[in-house]
Amino acid sequence: MFPSVATLRLSAAMLLVLTAAAAAGPADDLKGATVSALSGLQIPGAAIGEARDEGSNLVLSNLTFAAAGERPVGVKITRATISGGPVNGDALTGARVQLEGIEGTAADGQAYRLATAEITGAQGSFAALLASFATREPFFSGASENALTKFSADRISVPSMTVTRRRPARTEEATYNTLAISRYAQGKMAELTIASTVISPAEAGRKVESGAMRFVGFDLTAGVRTGGGAFNALDSGTIEQLRGTGANGAPFSIERIAIGRVTMRAGERSLVALSQAFTEVDPTGSGDDAASRRSLGAMAEVFARLDFERIEITNFRGQGEGRQAFEMQRFAIAGVTQGKIASIEMGGLVAHERRGQITRIGRFLVENIDASGLVALGKDYGEGRFTPGATPPASAYPDVRRILTEDITVTQATGQPLGSVQRAEIEAGPRIGLMPTRIRARITGFDAPITDARQKVQLAPLGIEDKITLAAELEIEYVEAARELRMRTLNVDVNDVGALNLALNIGGIDRAAVEALPASATLLGLAAKAGRLVLSYKESGGVASFLTHTAEQAGVEEEAFTEQLKMQLTAMVGQFVPDKLLASQITTALATFLDDPNSLVITATPKGDVPLAALAMAAQGSPLALLPMFNVTVEANK
């Protein structure tokens, strides 16, 4: 008996099904599981053109997918080859993944391309591995925390990756050569290395190149994470041998950049979303105000959320204004947290000027900077709570507690010295409004050579021949309980000449008026009252030199010249000081001092409340009109 036609048809159908089932091997299984898993990673519409088995290798061809979101990135991969480990669904176990012809393109024109990428020791979701490329810059930012944490790898190797970045009014292309990631897991790289980098902006003639880069403990999820607590985004990093051309067209080089630990606080928006807002500002100034607000608000949020242990630049060489050479051996920022900076330090600065002068600074240090109020103002501006043109709050002005400069020298290009300062330091106390409650400034080792013939003649009587060497100090403090501003010292000490010191108090200074500065300056001036004033001079040879030199020039004995000078001073004081008792006290003290130059102290204490405004009006006619308002004493050699 022959089978019926119906039986033959059924047998053929079964044969076709069995043949198709036999053809749907591991590669097809991986294809289906991957497309399904990509959809679960918020990458819908993924397509894989072909899946086939090549021996023990699984090969997928013409993969296309795109990340969802405000700024999607479409990805094309020509070929993916998976080998070396079992595959279950889209789950890899110790597999080797070779990707070829990888391209990503965003709607705004930003793009990247890789010829190949090799992932060894791959574990976890193959779909998540692919999804890690659905970002604007793979290996530097991720598409989502979910995608970044669902696979791991022993090593990821990329011979070269080129990224085209689009910015308002400009475009740049960055090429990263020999990129390698070691021990990638949970979105964190144990180590990321890049052999060299070339960044080429569209502007002709500009290019920046760097040598080896190395980043340890780089967490890719830092860029896309929202919510949660603080975590380490980077343990450390280094960038070696940068060189290129700056915005002014001048060449520059940097030997090394070192980055310490970077910690991040999570927020409502990811850092990737915030950084995208930066690009909305048009550097030409033609952008809209809303975009500027969003960008500056995003920048303020980044500063509030990122903490930097330190960033240090070594051996910068470039050119400043007028293409004059500029060098800096060291630049370091340390302790950046929520708008506060522990220190900014520069060392080994050398600046050449057009006039042929060279300025060198051994060390420049700024410590304890609080710009958290400025960061808060940036947030308020970004959210529309602050209007441009309004008066910023006092808290928006950075509070700096210490500035130190050491080993400053100015010379001609020939090496001829023009001046130097060993050390200049300014310290400030806590602020009331914009006003520090304490200021202390010191300058030591100030040297100024005397090269002008006229200056030599003018300074010769004081015994100064080749240079002026001096030190200076200023200390001012606001004492709220006493409502006084106290200048404890203003001292200038010239080597081999003498030291002049001024101390004075100003009363009637209310805290409310200080807080309202600068708007309250007029009111503060009217309320201020004169306090005690002490002016003193300590001899170090200047007056003695003057007496000797002047006597020699006059051709008389020094003793005779001194007596003649005392007589002239007595007549002058008697002419201009009507108070006979005070005049006698002044002439006696001056005579004592001239006979044996040692020290001279003048003390003026106001007779009751004396407003500074009254002093200013009285002094318009003659400063001597102020004398009746004070009890004055003059003492010599005490």
Side-chain angles (χ1 to χ4, degrees):
M1 294 290 297
F2 291 98
S4 67
V5 174
T7 303
L8 290 173
R9 287 176 178 174
L10 177 61
S11 298
M14 292 181 62
L15 180 62
L16 289 173
V17 170
L18 291 171
T19 302
D28 273 309
D29 292 342
L30 176 61
K31 170 184 173 179
T34 299
V35 171
S36 176
L38 281 170
S39 180
L41 294 172
Q42 297 181 338
I43 301 181
I48 299 176
E50 182 185 5
R52 64 182 184 276
D53 302 323
E54 293 184 356
S56 61
N57 296 340
L58 310 182
V59 179
L60 307 180
S61 301
N62 299 322
L63 296 82
T64 59
F65 52 91
E70 293 182 3
R71 298 192 177 187
V73 176
V75 181
K76 296 180 181 179
I77 301 176
T78 303
R79 177 186 171 102
T81 304
I82 300 94
S83 61
V87 179
N88 183 12
D90 85 318
L92 309 177
T93 304
R96 175 181 179 269
V97 179
Q98 182 78 21
L99 302 178
E100 300 173 43
I102 310 161
E103 295 182 1
T105 306
D108 61 359
Q110 178 148 333
Y112 71 81
R113 61 184 183 275
L114 297 78
T116 62
E118 183 182 49
I119 301 95
T120 56
Q123 301 272 128
S125 169
F126 177 62
L129 188 156
L130 295 177
S132 68
F133 288 91
T135 180
R136 299 167 75 87
E137 297 192 26
F139 315 115
F140 301 116
S141 64
S144 69
E145 184 177 359
N146 203 19
L148 291 171
T149 56
K150 286 195 170 183
F151 79 97
S152 63
D154 293 337
R155 185 173 178 84
I156 301 174
S157 302
V158 176
S160 179
M161 178 175 74
T162 299
V163 177
T164 301
R165 302 187 181 105
R166 303 288 184 183
R167 301 288 187 265
R170 69 183 179 91
T171 302
E172 68 180 24
E173 188 173 272
T175 300
Y176 303 92
N177 299 309
T178 317
L179 186 152
I181 296 170
S182 300
R183 300 187 303 283
Y184 174 88
Q186 293 297 310
K188 190 169 185 176
M189 309 173 187
E191 182 182 66
L192 166 64
T193 61
I194 302 170
S196 64
T197 304
V198 179
I199 299 176
S200 303
E203 295 89 340
R206 290 190 58 194
K207 185 169 69 172
V208 177
E209 301 177 82
S210 75
M213 297 184 184
R214 179 175 182 264
F215 302 96
V216 176
F218 179 28
D219 192 340
L220 268 178
T221 67
V224 295
R225 186 180 298 185
T226 58
F231 61 95
N232 289 342
L234 177 70
D235 291 338
S236 65
T238 55
I239 304 173
E240 309 282 350
Q241 302 299 331
L242 279 83
R243 60 188 180 277
T245 305
N248 62 354
F252 73 89
S253 65
I254 297 172
E255 182 177 305
R256 190 171 193 264
I257 299 176
I259 305 168
R261 188 180 305 277
V262 179
T263 306
M264 178 188 150
R265 294 175 194 80
E268 294 182 2
R269 292 188 291 175
S270 70
L271 285 184
V272 170
L274 291 171
S275 64
Q276 288 172 354
F278 297 166
T279 66
E280 295 180 355
V281 172
D282 188 340
T284 64
S286 59
D288 64 278
D289 180 66
S292 297
R293 284 182 178 275
R294 289 193 298 271
S295 179
L296 292 176
M299 191 177 299
E301 186 173 344
V302 169
F303 278 117
R305 288 170 54 186
L306 283 178
D307 294 351
F308 295 89
E309 182 182 55
R310 68 181 178 90
I311 300 174
E312 184 171 339
I313 298 174
T314 304
N315 288 336
F316 171 87
R317 289 179 173 84
Q319 296 178 359
E321 185 178 354
R323 298 294 182 93
Q324 303 301 310
F326 177 81
E327 300 176 15
M328 180 169 54
Q329 292 180 0
R330 181 174 182 266
F331 174 85
I333 301 178
V336 180
T337 174
Q338 294 184 288
K340 298 180 180 180
I341 304 173
S343 65
I344 300 175
E345 185 172 2
M346 290 174 271
L349 283 80
V350 181
H352 295 250
E353 300 180 26
R354 291 181 179 179
R355 296 173 296 176
Q357 296 181 359
I358 303 174
T359 300
R360 293 177 172 85
I361 300 176
R363 184 187 186 204
F364 178 77
L365 172 68
V366 183
E367 288 185 319
N368 298 329
I369 306 157
D370 187 350
S372 57
L374 181 60
V375 171
L377 181 66
K379 288 184 179 179
D380 289 344
Y381 175 76
E383 296 171 7
R385 293 191 297 270
F386 178 80
T387 304
T391 302
S395 60
Y397 293 88
D399 184 1
V400 179
R401 295 301 176 87
R402 183 170 182 252
I403 300 175
L404 172 67
T405 309
E406 294 180 323
D407 299 326
I408 308 168
T409 62
V410 181
T411 65
Q412 294 283 11
T414 59
Q416 178 184 349
L418 298 176
S420 63
V421 176
Q422 288 182 359
R423 183 183 177 95
E425 182 178 15
I426 301 174
E427 294 179 338
R431 290 193 328 196
I432 297 177
L434 294 175
M435 186 76 175
T437 54
R438 183 182 68 258
I439 295 177
R440 180 179 298 167
R442 300 185 188 90
I443 296 176
T444 57
F446 174 89
D447 280 353
I450 303 170
T451 57
D452 184 78
R454 178 180 294 182
Q455 290 179 341
K456 286 191 175 185
V457 172
Q458 293 172 339
L459 296 173
L462 297 177
I464 299 175
E465 298 179 355
D466 299 321
K467 65 179 180 178
I468 298 175
T469 301
L470 61 82
E473 181 177 2
L474 169 68
E475 184 176 351
I476 301 175
E477 182 177 11
Y478 173 65
V479 182
E480 183 180 349
R483 300 171 59 233
E484 283 188 343
L485 184 65
R486 297 174 179 174
M487 186 164 72
R488 299 190 182 279
T489 183
L490 172 57
N491 184 272
V492 179
D493 189 347
V494 182
N495 281 18
D496 301 324
V497 174
L500 186 65
N501 187 78
L502 173 65
L504 62 85
N505 296 343
I506 298 176
I509 308 295
D510 289 323
R511 179 188 176 95
V514 174
E515 285 181 320
L517 285 171
S520 63
T522 301
L523 178 63
L524 196 61
L526 293 173
K529 296 177 174 60
R532 187 168 182 263
L533 178 150
V534 179
L535 179 64
S536 62
Y537 173 78
K538 179 68 175 178
E539 165 72 351
S540 295
V543 172
S545 294
F546 174 79
L547 294 175
T548 301
H549 182 275
T550 309
E552 290 177 353
Q553 294 294 311
V556 298
E557 294 291 333
E558 183 176 334
E559 184 177 347
F561 173 76
T562 302
E563 292 299 322
Q564 183 181 358
L565 181 58
K566 287 193 291 185
M567 291 175 60
Q568 291 174 350
L569 291 173
T570 299
M572 186 182 300
V573 172
Q575 180 181 356
F576 291 104
V577 180
D579 186 330
K580 302 300 182 184
L581 184 60
L582 177 58
S584 174
Q585 182 184 132
I586 293 173
T587 55
T588 300
L590 289 176
T592 302
F593 177 74
L594 290 173
D595 286 336
D596 180 20
N598 190 338
S599 66
L600 191 65
V601 180
I602 302 172
T603 304
T605 306
K607 298 175 180 178
D609 287 345
V610 180
L612 293 185
L615 290 179
M617 292 180 63
Q620 289 180 358
S622 170
L624 295 174
L626 304 180
L627 288 178
M629 299 181 181
F630 293 87
N631 291 317
V632 179
T633 61
V634 182
E635 298 177 302
N637 301 342
K638 294 293 186 180

